[in-house]
Amino acid sequence: DFFARISSNPELVIELAKYMDPSSLLSLYCIHKHVNGIINGHLTHTMKLCANQQAPEAARIFPFTLYESLCVRDPVGRPHPTKPNVVRMVPSIRWLQMAVHRAKTVRDILACMARQGHRMPPEMNLTLKKMWLVMDIATSARRAQVMHSDYFSALDIFHIQMFVVKLDMRFNDPIDGPGEDHLRKLMLGQRGLTPLCKLLKRTAFTETEEIVRAAVRYDWEVKPQHRHYSILGIPPEEIGTGHLEGWGKGRVHLYRPDELVVREAVRRRLDLKNHIMGMMLWGYVDPVTGKDTPATEDEMYMSD
């Protein structure tokens, strides 16, 4: 077959692999002996090459060294650089799938917002990936520590606040309301941006009961006399625990990005409260010509 004939040139196999989507690469990796051997022999190089080709920003923001659960022991047994007796950990195809998925999810979120008229600055794509990195952290102190660092620029802080404002505009009608921020808090309190993307694309949370179940699991306060009862099929031990540190295993509230950005803006004295109106108006009218600025095809693109 084709891959058997080119397997004598590992460089060519790896070059072809970087253009394959993760699911196709995984299938080929599982069923073809020669490809499996070549990729296993150069697993770190292959995964990083594929990620840099298909999701370069995500590959940089979500390095495999931060995701031990998505790594495997080096198939050829290369030692750890500082621990000669330990086999090093290398990125697996699951890490590649995660990087590509997150890049597509952020793109689709911005496309959904643009299709509804809520355009975002071009740099918002990078900022949302950084925000997702913070959402991977299970404690408020560590989240705040990352937000305090130089990793988040003042422009990133501004963009996160703009995203929060635009989400509130998306979830509320200017006339009919409801004038609430509960849905935004619920979505930003999840473990990542995938639930928000599914909500905006209407592939999940399409029924009121589904939203209520998520809210009950996230931060519902149960009265003492009802603590041993389930609600909408949710076990009593899971009710109101989603907002706690450690993904429900802790005892204190886990700060969401919309809460962290306010604290960080105050710490940096960015005075964001005086820019809220500008955030609301951004992207609708050209400030020079006064004409409407509809979303472009690139802004609305998603892999439907």
Side-chain angles (χ1 to χ4, degrees):
D1 64 272
F2 172 74
F3 285 99
R5 290 197 298 270
I6 68 172
S7 60
S8 58
N9 295 286
E11 297 86 355
L12 185 56
V13 174
I14 294 173
E15 184 67 18
L16 288 174
K18 80 175 186 180
Y19 295 101
M20 300 177 66
D21 63 89
S23 60
S24 299
L25 178 60
L26 177 60
S27 298
L28 181 63
Y29 175 81
C30 292
I31 66 177
H32 202 290
K33 178 180 178 180
H34 296 91
V35 174
N36 184 285
I38 291 172
I39 292 179
N40 280 343
H42 309 82
L43 192 55
T44 300
H45 173 69
T46 303
M47 293 301 101
K48 293 175 70 174
L49 190 69
C50 293
N52 288 330
Q53 173 67 29
Q54 301 178 35
E57 280 187 350
R60 177 169 56 86
I61 294 173
F62 309 111
F64 71 90
T65 52
L66 298 180
Y67 299 89
E68 184 178 0
S69 62
L70 302 180
C71 295
V72 296
R73 295 185 183 277
D74 194 324
V76 296
R78 295 186 182 91
H80 190 279
T82 60
K83 301 175 182 178
N85 297 326
V86 178
V87 177
R88 69 174 185 171
M89 301 297 290
V90 295
S92 68
I93 295 182
R94 288 191 299 153
W95 172 77
L96 174 63
Q97 291 173 320
M98 180 271 290
V100 174
H101 166 73
R102 293 189 176 190
K104 290 182 177 180
T105 298
V106 169
R107 180 201 65 195
D108 289 355
I109 288 174
L110 295 176
C112 287
M113 296 293 287
R115 292 183 182 193
Q116 295 297 323
H118 305 292
R119 299 175 62 234
M120 306 279 187
E123 300 84 2
M124 184 67 76
N125 191 296
L126 176 61
T127 298
L128 290 187
K129 293 187 180 77
K130 291 183 177 182
M131 187 178 79
W132 199 334
L133 178 65
V134 172
M135 297 173 75
D136 283 333
I137 302 173
T139 63
S140 296
R142 291 293 180 89
R143 287 187 172 193
Q145 185 179 13
V146 175
M147 293 285 287
H148 289 348
S149 69
D150 295 335
Y151 185 71
F152 279 87
S153 65
L155 186 60
D156 288 325
I157 302 300
F158 181 89
H159 282 157
I160 293 176
Q161 184 60 58
M162 176 185 283
F163 182 70
V164 171
V165 170
K166 296 286 189 179
L167 269 187
D168 283 340
M169 295 172 66
R170 176 68 182 91
F171 293 151
N172 289 275
D173 185 90
I175 298 177
D176 297 330
E180 298 285 350
D181 57 4
H182 294 165
L183 188 55
R184 180 253 297 170
K185 291 179 178 178
L186 175 63
M187 290 296 107
L188 294 185
Q190 302 301 305
R191 192 172 179 177
L193 293 175
T194 301
L196 173 61
C197 182
K198 291 180 178 180
L199 172 67
L200 294 174
K201 294 176 72 173
R202 310 304 293 150
T203 58
F205 304 104
T206 55
E207 302 291 337
T208 302
E209 182 180 345
E210 197 174 359
I211 295 284
V212 173
R213 283 172 56 86
V216 168
R217 182 174 274 109
Y218 180 64
D219 63 353
W220 186 264
E221 294 184 7
V222 183
K223 295 181 179 180
Q225 62 269 30
H226 299 152
R227 285 179 180 172
H228 301 293
Y229 296 95
S230 63
I231 300 178
L232 296 175
I234 301 173
E237 64 273 12
E238 296 181 12
I239 296 174
T241 61
H243 74 103
L244 300 177
E245 290 188 344
W247 318 122
K249 297 179 181 179
R251 295 186 176 182
V252 297
H253 175 65
L254 178 63
Y255 285 130
R256 303 182 306 272
D258 55 317
E259 295 174 305
L260 292 167
V261 72
V262 173
R263 288 164 171 78
E264 184 61 19
V266 171
R267 191 186 74 86
R268 299 190 188 192
R269 299 180 180 179
L270 298 180
D271 199 25
L272 289 185
K273 65 178 182 293
N274 290 328
H275 296 278
I276 299 299
M277 185 59 68
M279 295 176 184
M280 294 176 61
L281 299 176
W282 194 95
Y284 300 106
V285 178
D286 190 304
V288 178
T289 64
K291 296 182 179 180
D292 292 342
T293 54
T296 65
E297 291 187 3
D298 287 341
E299 291 175 329
M300 294 188 294
Y301 173 77
M302 68 173 73
S303 51
D304 294 322

